[in-house]
Amino acid sequence: MSSFNPNNVDLDTVDPVDVICYLNASENGYDGRLGARISAIFVILIVSTAVTFFPVIAKRVPRLHIPLYVYLFARYFGAGVIVATAFIHLLDPAYDEIGPASCVGMTGNWGDYSWCPAIVLASLIAIFLLDFGAERYVEVKYGICREDPEPIMTSTASNHMAPVAKGNQALEKKEAALESQSVDESFVDRSFKQQIAAFLVLEFGVIFHSVIIGLNLGVTGEEFSTLYPVLVFHQSFEGLGIGARMSAIPFRKGSWLPWILCSLYGLTTPISIAIGLGVRTTYNSGSYTANVVSGVLDAISAGILIYTGLVELLARDFLFDPHRTRDNKRLTFMVISMLLGAGVMALLGKWA
């Protein structure tokens, strides 16, 4: 690159890599408007945090009487957002940054193999193994057997109980109630442990993406006027997906963990914007190093969100949930909400 002169290019002898890298390179784009950039810290903090909290509040504070369909819209719109984020806002940028047609993907060891899909695949498989390991751990710990359902005493059998047993019906009912309560608590505990690991991975992937977005908003140039409002919606919709997923996890009553996790997401982008402003005159988001870092992080996050969106959200909620509603009206509403979330988030990919 040091000997490449863009003002004197011989198309017969020039290395195409030099041209690609020159066209992809950029300088620091910061162009002032510090007040507007500072306002973005607080606007994104307030709006995205509030939207992230909404599904959790709707589920955990029943006295607010939030209509069921409002909650369902938030939950499944958020699921669609997560799926679209994986493909449009993570996978596509990762290819732009380290894919085979990028400057990074054409140079050095990056040019020897298609690393972008390999990183996505490795990330996806790692999350699958983590999810499967957590599932198996819970099965072993609680002695769950998938093949053998627990025997249920039939009414016929109960009608032929010995007289002594019938005389102790009140005691048996009390013991059965206590046992049922214990089973319910055990089920909630198992369900929580199975789901919380997958959720933490999901939030980890989204936070990676949010850090990069925040840094870029702090230093971007003339695109700032368009990027600012788009990212307010972008981060809010992602937050809705995070909150919706969290609302389905059976946290113990009084647990502060969901509120902490919601706040963590809400704080990530504003803090990253502040960091971007701190390096606003030196950080170059189009540099070779920045492309490698953001490309690798985007590819990792894409694998995480592809698995989580398709398996944990869509497949688990729509295909494999034994308690899924059979109400066609409600199912149609859930599917349309999911498609709307995916469509809106995909549309935002035109600008951010």
Side-chain angles (χ1 to χ4, degrees), residues 143 214 258 284:
N284 178 10

Side-chain angles (χ1 to χ4, degrees), residues 143-329:
I144 300 172
C145 182
R146 290 177 177 267
E147 294 81 13
D148 301 324
E150 292 184 6
I152 300 175
M153 181 178 290
T154 64
S155 57
T156 304
S158 62
N159 288 336
H160 292 83
M161 287 189 299
V164 176
K166 287 183 178 180
N168 292 328
Q169 277 188 341
L171 179 60
E172 289 175 356
K173 286 182 178 179
K174 183 176 180 181
E175 290 176 347
L178 292 173
E179 183 177 351
S180 175
Q181 181 180 359
S182 176
V183 169
D184 289 343
E185 291 176 355
S186 177
F187 173 79
V188 169
D189 192 32
R190 294 200 309 265
S191 181
F192 172 76
K193 290 182 178 180
Q194 287 171 333
Q195 294 182 54
I196 190 62
F199 173 79
L200 291 175
V201 169
L202 167 64
E203 182 160 18
F204 180 69
V206 171
I207 283 177
F208 263 168
H209 180 46
S210 298
V211 168
I212 295 170
I213 284 177
L215 285 172
N216 289 341
L217 185 62
V219 302
T220 191
E222 60 184 17
E223 305 91 355
F224 175 78
S225 298
T226 302
L227 198 59
Y228 182 177
V230 169
L231 288 187
V232 172
F233 287 102
H234 181 285
Q235 292 307 103
S236 297
F237 291 153
E238 274 193 356
L240 191 62
I242 288 289
R245 179 71 185 113
M246 198 182 314
S247 69
I249 299 176
F251 291 95
R252 289 189 177 277
K253 187 175 181 180
S255 173
W256 284 93
L257 188 55
W259 314 113
I260 293 172
L261 293 174
C262 284
S263 300
L264 181 62
Y265 169 79
L267 287 168
T268 300
T269 301
I271 290 174
S272 299
I273 296 173
I275 294 172
L277 290 178
V279 295
R280 61 187 181 277
T281 58
T282 57
Y283 178 71
N284 178 10
S285 60
S287 69
Y288 184 92
T289 301
N291 276 327
V292 170
V293 173
S294 59
V296 170
L297 292 181
D298 279 346
I300 292 173
S301 299
I304 292 172
L305 266 66
I306 287 172
Y307 178 86
T308 303
L310 298 181
V311 177
E312 295 290 338
L313 300 181
L314 299 190
R316 185 162 291 183
D317 282 359
F318 286 99
L319 301 178
F320 304 126
D321 182 5
H323 305 294
R324 187 198 66 201
T325 180
R326 291 182 173 84
D327 184 339
N328 285 332
K329 177 184 174 183

Side-chain angles (χ1 to χ4, degrees), residues 2-175:
S2 59
S3 61
F4 177 72
N5 181 3
N7 298 314
N8 184 18
V9 177
D10 186 342
L11 295 179
D12 292 326
T13 60
V14 69
D15 186 345
V17 176
D18 288 342
V19 178
I20 294 293
C21 289
Y22 174 78
L23 293 176
N24 285 357
S26 64
E27 300 297 329
N28 178 270
Y30 178 74
D31 62 355
R33 293 180 284 184
L34 183 59
R37 295 174 195 269
I38 292 175
S39 73
I41 296 175
F42 299 99
V43 171
I44 291 179
L45 171 64
I46 294 170
V47 176
S48 64
T49 303
V51 174
T52 306
F53 272 107
F54 173 74
V56 180
I57 293 173
K59 186 71 175 289
R60 295 176 65 85
V61 188
R63 66 175 177 273
L64 294 179
H65 302 295
I66 295 174
L68 172 64
Y69 277 86
V70 174
Y71 168 73
L72 290 177
F73 175 80
R75 177 170 175 177
Y76 292 103
F77 182 91
V81 164
I82 294 298
V83 174
T85 298
F87 290 96
I88 306 298
H89 296 267
L90 290 170
L91 185 60
D92 186 58
Y95 269 96
D96 287 341
E97 291 153 347
I98 61 172
S102 69
C103 173
V104 173
M106 290 182 174
T107 56
N109 292 328
W110 289 99
D112 296 336
Y113 185 72
S114 188
W115 287 104
C116 183
I119 294 171
V120 173
L121 176 62
S123 173
L124 190 152
I125 293 297
I127 301 310
F128 161 71
L129 292 175
L130 178 64
D131 193 22
F132 177 67
E135 186 94 3
R136 184 59 186 149
Y137 167 78
V138 170
E139 287 179 356
V140 172
K141 180 176 180 179
Y142 290 95
I144 300 172
C145 182
R146 290 177 177 267
E147 294 81 13
D148 301 324
E150 292 184 6
I152 300 175
M153 181 178 290
T154 64
S155 57
T156 304
S158 62
N159 288 336
H160 292 83
M161 287 189 299
V164 176
K166 287 183 178 180
N168 292 328
Q169 277 188 341
L171 179 60
E172 289 175 356
K173 286 182 178 179
K174 183 176 180 181
E175 290 176 347

